[in-house]
């Protein structure tokens, strides 16, 4: 078990070193969410029809676009696995005396490292433009943990996809087709109550929806009644995709 | 001497019915440098990937240091290092960081880790470039880094899949010198796939020729060369319609074997000087123009031509790998 955790931490360290060497990628990843909160948010604030529960609209969507950007990064994390499959990296990792579960979970949670790095840029920018966060360090840390593990889940989902599609072009297509429904059929930009019932039903199966809800309650609203359900949903999601991705990992190699 | 690798009746049929291995039998001695040589698609990589526990054979058995690669994969993985044909280091971090991560994956104790990494860099002549990102390395340097990380963990056996493919001659030589000296120091067994005949000839203690999923001949380089016996006459011809000529030559006295490949014939004879005139006469009768004749002692190339029935033509593959490597470097 200790070895298992240690291997996961080695994978996280690798990712941290990669992020350190290529900051440009990180910066380009945060451009989009920053546009959402600096342009889209203020523009839509004039529309009073969105029931945000008394919170300014930009504040309302800040957790939503934050999670959107970290989720997108994570979903396309599978691309790295497709790439590493084309090179020999995965073959070599597969031949090391470490648990294959630890490799898959470690690589998945590596996406969490990138997600945290993104959040560390987006949140200060949001503060600068006047978004009011709850000032509580514990809440902030909890939100980061949720982002970390949710991103790991989405990355695992993408590893799972990668094990089936195996080429970059197809992966790009599927990744693109997946990310926008996840984003729009959630409470990232508006409460799900505004959606037609059928879409609301879909939202209950959308892990991004629960992630946004949890992070919003911890950073913005301080309204925790849904938090246990959110956390439970993310745990179930993680366990499911971690197991499925590990089971299919051998397929990526063959 | 006990075996480092033992393979018995190994068969691998891929999904879709491609039969990659067709009953392989093989023994590799501990502490030797073993070379598996064969044309593209002969099954070299498939065999190595089964031995390194990446996937299971369809039937048959394989052992590494007496451990069954299917049943005791976990233990096998602790003894081996493996360098695949493709790039297997992370190109977006430095050489030092690559080795550090691998040292941690292999759980080298933290007190020894730094020393092991520095030593590995030093051994492969990479100390100077330790902090440069790998995507600035040349192909040869990347290979050396991969081998450094494979040797850093002090494996009992090192599997190398086409270790020098796409590298220039001086880089190839440098890699082999490092490997030989490492073998002397630590007694590691080296199992490598290649299609460079000269590497097999110069560096391997034992050779096996693989063709269409089966081992067609094995032994030391010397044994293989002597197995042909006699002398070899090569004829370069202007035509490739050789039927009549082949038949005539086969019937000559003192001719042991005739192998042809495109417009070239290889004739294995007891004594070249006495047989050559009759061969030339046969060519004249068949009205085949001979462009060039040479007489030699059998070389590994001749052995290969005889048992694999083809020359090692690998141009396409090398270009492919070079392109992949280039693409990776561009990232």
């Amino acid at each position: 078990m200790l070895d298992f955790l240690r291997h996961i931490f080695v994978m996280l360290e690798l990712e941290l070193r990669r992020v350190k060497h290529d900051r440009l990628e990180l910066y380009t990843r945060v451009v989009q969410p920053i546009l959402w909160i600096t342009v889209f948010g203020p523009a839509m604030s004039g529309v009073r029809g969105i029931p945000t529960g008394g919170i300014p609209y930009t504040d309302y969507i800040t957790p939503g676009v934050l999670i959107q950007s970290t989720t997108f990064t994570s979903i396309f994390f599978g691309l790295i696995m497709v790439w590493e499959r084309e090179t020999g990296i995965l073959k070599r990792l597969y031949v090391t005396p470490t648990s294959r579960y630890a490799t898959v979970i470690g690589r998945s949670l590596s996406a969490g490292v990138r997600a945290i790095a993104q959040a560390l840029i987006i949140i200060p920018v949001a503060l600068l433009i006047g978004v009011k966060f709850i000032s509580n360090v514990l809440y902030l840390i909890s939100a980061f943990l949720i982002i970390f593990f949710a991103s790991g889940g989405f990355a695992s989902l993408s590893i799972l996809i990668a094990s089936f599609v195996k080429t970059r072009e197809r992966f790009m297509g599927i990744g693109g087709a997946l990310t926008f429904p996840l984003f729009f059929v959630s409470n990232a930009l508006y409460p799900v109550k505004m959606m037609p019932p059928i879409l609301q039903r879909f939202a209950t199966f959308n892990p991004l929806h629960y992630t946004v809800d949890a992070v919003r309650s911890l950073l913005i609203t301080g309204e925790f009644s849904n938090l246990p359900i959110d956390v439970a949903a993310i745990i179930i999601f993680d366990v499911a995709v971690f197991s499925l991705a590990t089971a299919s990992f051998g397929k990526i190699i063959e | 001497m006990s075996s480092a690798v033992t393979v018995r009746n190994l068969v691998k049929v891929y999904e879709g019915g491609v039969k990659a291995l067709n009953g392989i039998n093989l023994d590799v001695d501990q502490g030797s440098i073993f070379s598996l040589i064969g044309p593209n698609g002969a099954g070299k990589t498939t065999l190595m990937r089964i031995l390194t526990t990446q996937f299971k054979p369809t039937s048959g058995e394989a052992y590494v240091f007496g451990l069954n690669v299917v049943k005791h994969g976990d233990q096998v993985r602790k003894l081996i290092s493996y360098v695949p044909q493709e790039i297997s280091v992370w190109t977006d971090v430095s050489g030092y960081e690559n080795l550090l991560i691998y040292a941690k994956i292999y759980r080298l104790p933290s007190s020894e880790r730094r020393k092991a990494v520095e030593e590995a860099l030093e051994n492969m002549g990479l100390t100077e470039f330790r902090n440069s990102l790998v995507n600035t390395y040349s192909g040869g340097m990347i290979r050396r880094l991969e081998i450094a990380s494979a040797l850093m963990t002090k494996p009992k056996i090192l599997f190398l899949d086409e270790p020098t493919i796409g590298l220039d001659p001086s880089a190839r030589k440098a890699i082999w010198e490092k490997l030989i000296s490492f073998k002397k120091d630590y007694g590691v067994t080296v199992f490598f796939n290649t299609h460079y005949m000269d590497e097999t000839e110069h560096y391997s203690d034992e050779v096996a020729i693989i063709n269409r999923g089966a081992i067609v001949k094995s032994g030391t380089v010397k044994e293989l060369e002597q197995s042909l016996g006699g002398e070899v006459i090569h004829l370069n011809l202007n035509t490739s319609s050789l039927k009549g000529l082949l038949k005539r030559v086969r019937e000559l006295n003192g001719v042991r074997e005739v192998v042809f490949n495109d417009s070239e014939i290889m004739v294995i004879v007891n004594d070249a000087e006495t047989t050559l005139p009759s061969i030339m006469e046969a060519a004249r009768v068949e009205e085949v123009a001979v462009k060039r004749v040479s007489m030699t002692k059998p070389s590994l190339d001749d052995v290969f031509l005889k048992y694999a029935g083809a020359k090692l033509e690998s141009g396409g593959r090398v270009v492919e790998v070079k392109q992949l490597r280039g693409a990776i470097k561009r990232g």
Side-chain angles (χ1 to χ4, degrees):
Chain A
M1 188 61 200
L2 196 65
D3 282 341
F4 193 85
L5 289 177
R6 207 176 283 157
H7 187 60
I8 290 179
F9 277 109
V10 175
M11 293 289 109
L12 298 186
E13 179 189 336
L14 169 67
E15 201 57 30
L16 209 55
R17 288 177 184 275
R18 288 175 134 166
V19 174
K20 203 183 79 188
H21 284 299
D22 189 7
R23 298 206 190 120
L24 185 64
E25 180 182 347
L26 186 62
Y27 298 148
T28 56
R29 294 273 187 192
V30 298
V31 170
Q32 220 184 20
I34 288 173
L35 285 175
W36 280 100
I37 55 176
T38 53
V39 180
F40 184 82
M44 293 295 285
S45 295
V47 183
R48 301 280 171 204
I50 301 170
T52 58
I55 307 161
Y57 185 67
T58 305
D59 296 24
Y60 181 84
I61 64 164
T62 296
V65 298
L66 170 64
I67 300 306
Q68 178 248 22
S69 93
T70 57
T71 302
F72 280 24
T73 305
S74 309
I75 293 259
F76 284 105
F77 204 72
L79 263 187
I80 298 184
M81 300 298 266
V82 176
W83 177 244
E84 290 190 348
R85 175 184 168 270
E86 283 170 22
T87 69
I89 292 173
L90 287 186
K91 288 179 192 162
R92 267 205 75 189
L93 277 179
Y94 209 62
V95 169
T96 59
T98 43
S99 146
R100 288 162 191 186
Y101 282 93
T103 299
V104 172
I105 296 174
R107 295 314 295 276
S108 301
L109 290 175
S110 296
V113 171
R114 280 186 189 267
I116 299 289
Q118 273 169 244
L120 283 173
I121 299 176
I122 295 168
I123 290 176
V125 172
L127 266 174
L128 273 179
I129 62 160
V131 173
K132 283 182 199 63
F133 291 95
I134 298 173
S135 47
N136 183 323
V137 178
L138 269 181
Y139 289 0
L140 186 68
I141 293 172
S142 310
F144 275 12
L145 279 174
I146 283 171
I147 294 172
F148 180 73
F149 282 103
S151 299
F154 284 113
S156 237
L157 180 67
S158 86
I159 290 173
L160 183 64
I161 297 170
S163 71
F164 288 102
V165 299
K166 295 189 177 183
T167 71
R168 261 174 291 170
E169 292 72 16
R170 282 187 221 159
F171 187 92
M172 289 296 283
I174 295 181
L178 196 66
T179 44
F180 276 97
L182 282 175
F183 181 41
F184 289 131
V185 187
S186 78
N187 57 354
L189 297 178
Y190 31 73
V192 283
K193 281 181 303 221
M194 289 179 66
M195 290 190 274
I198 177 93
L199 289 182
Q200 291 189 31
R201 186 79 53 81
F202 276 120
T204 56
F205 294 103
N206 182 354
L208 187 141
H209 173 77
Y210 296 99
T211 315
V212 172
D213 198 53
V215 172
R216 183 176 288 140
S217 53
L218 285 163
L219 292 183
I220 307 286
T221 64
E223 154 63 73
F224 294 142
S225 58
N226 279 336
L227 195 59
I229 296 172
D230 295 336
V231 172
I234 293 165
I235 290 173
I236 292 169
F237 171 62
D238 273 7
V239 170
V241 287
F242 284 167
S243 329
L244 288 172
T246 311
S248 69
F249 187 53
K251 258 217 191 83
I252 301 188
I253 309 268
E254 271 204 46
Chain B
M1 210 190 300
S2 57
S3 283
V5 174
T6 311
V7 179
R8 292 289 172 264
N9 305 318
L10 203 70
V11 173
K12 175 71 185 178
V13 183
Y14 282 114
E15 266 176 60
V18 178
K19 201 165 196 179
L21 299 181
N22 193 2
I24 297 270
N25 286 293
L26 195 64
D27 289 281
V28 176
D29 289 340
Q30 277 189 35
S32 67
I33 295 188
F34 173 84
S35 155
L36 185 65
I37 190 158
N40 294 327
K44 300 189 294 281
T45 297
T46 302
L47 176 60
M48 185 170 283
R49 294 187 71 189
I50 290 173
L51 290 175
T52 52
T53 77
Q54 295 176 56
F55 47 69
K56 293 176 185 154
T58 308
S59 68
E61 271 146 23
Y63 301 87
V64 172
F65 288 94
L67 297 163
N68 187 303
V69 296
V70 176
K71 290 184 198 133
H72 303 111
D74 287 344
Q75 282 153 278
V76 170
R77 283 192 284 275
K78 284 181 187 155
L79 303 179
I80 64 174
S81 265
Y82 162 63
V83 180
Q85 193 169 317
E86 307 89 348
I87 287 195
S88 62
V89 286
W90 289 285
T91 52
D92 48 3
V93 295
S94 72
Y96 179 84
E97 287 172 314
N98 262 289
L99 294 183
L100 189 69
I101 295 290
Y102 266 104
K104 289 182 176 181
I105 289 175
Y106 276 87
R107 292 178 212 128
L108 265 61
S110 53
S111 54
E112 297 166 24
R113 208 179 291 144
R114 200 160 284 271
K115 196 169 150 268
V117 171
E118 295 294 353
E119 223 175 70
L121 286 167
E122 178 73 41
N123 281 339
M124 286 290 154
L126 291 169
T127 307
E128 202 186 323
F129 311 97
R130 60 204 294 282
N131 292 325
S132 311
L133 293 186
V134 174
N135 54 26
T136 64
Y137 282 22
S138 69
M141 285 160 72
I142 290 179
R143 249 324 182 226
R144 295 209 306 270
L145 180 65
E146 286 164 344
I147 292 171
S149 84
L151 291 175
M152 180 178 62
T153 58
K154 305 273 180 326
K156 288 187 79 173
I157 180 165
L158 177 61
F159 288 96
L160 303 169
D161 197 354
E162 302 274 8
T164 56
I165 193 166
L167 301 184
D168 61 67
S170 68
R172 285 168 57 190
K173 190 154 175 273
I175 282 173
W176 276 108
E177 280 168 1
K178 305 287 183 196
L179 280 171
I180 300 283
S181 83
F182 195 89
K183 186 213 149 189
K184 272 193 193 125
D185 293 347
Y186 297 96
V188 64
T189 309
V190 179
F191 184 122
F192 75 103
N193 289 347
T194 188
H195 59 252
Y196 289 125
M197 201 64 83
D198 58 319
E199 288 185 355
T200 301
E201 217 157 359
H202 286 132
Y203 305 114
S204 59
D205 303 317
E206 304 238 11
V207 194
I209 297 174
I210 184 171
N211 193 31
R212 298 206 183 94
I215 303 289
V216 286
K217 189 78 188 170
S218 63
T220 63
V221 173
K222 211 166 194 140
E223 281 167 4
L224 258 55
E225 284 170 355
Q226 284 171 353
S227 75
L228 289 189
E231 290 172 291
V232 180
I233 300 173
H234 288 273
L235 300 168
N236 272 65
L237 308 169
N238 257 341
T239 167
S240 50
S241 58
L242 303 167
K243 249 188 168 166
L245 179 61
L246 285 175
K247 189 165 171 287
R248 264 178 206 280
V249 172
R250 281 204 178 101
E251 283 164 359
L252 291 175
N253 270 340
V255 169
R256 294 194 187 184
E257 190 126 17
V258 183
V259 184
F260 71 99
N261 185 34
D262 288 337
S263 60
E264 192 181 322
I265 329 187
M266 175 179 102
V267 189
I268 302 166
V269 296
N270 293 332
D271 180 46
E273 281 177 27
T274 54
T275 319
L276 184 59
S278 343
I279 295 176
M280 296 306 285
E281 175 62 18
R284 199 189 58 77
V285 172
E286 288 291 329
E287 296 179 335
V288 172
V290 176
K291 279 197 295 187
R292 204 170 66 85
V293 181
S294 65
M295 293 181 287
T296 52
K297 289 278 172 201
S299 72
L300 202 55
D301 277 296
D302 301 324
V303 180
F304 190 83
L305 190 56
K306 181 183 167 193
Y307 291 105
K311 282 203 158 181
L312 280 176
E313 300 286 1
S314 51
R317 184 81 193 118
V318 173
V319 171
E320 219 172 274
V321 171
K322 273 190 164 165
Q323 278 169 350
L324 179 64
R325 293 198 159 233
I328 290 164
K329 280 175 70 183
R330 284 192 298 276

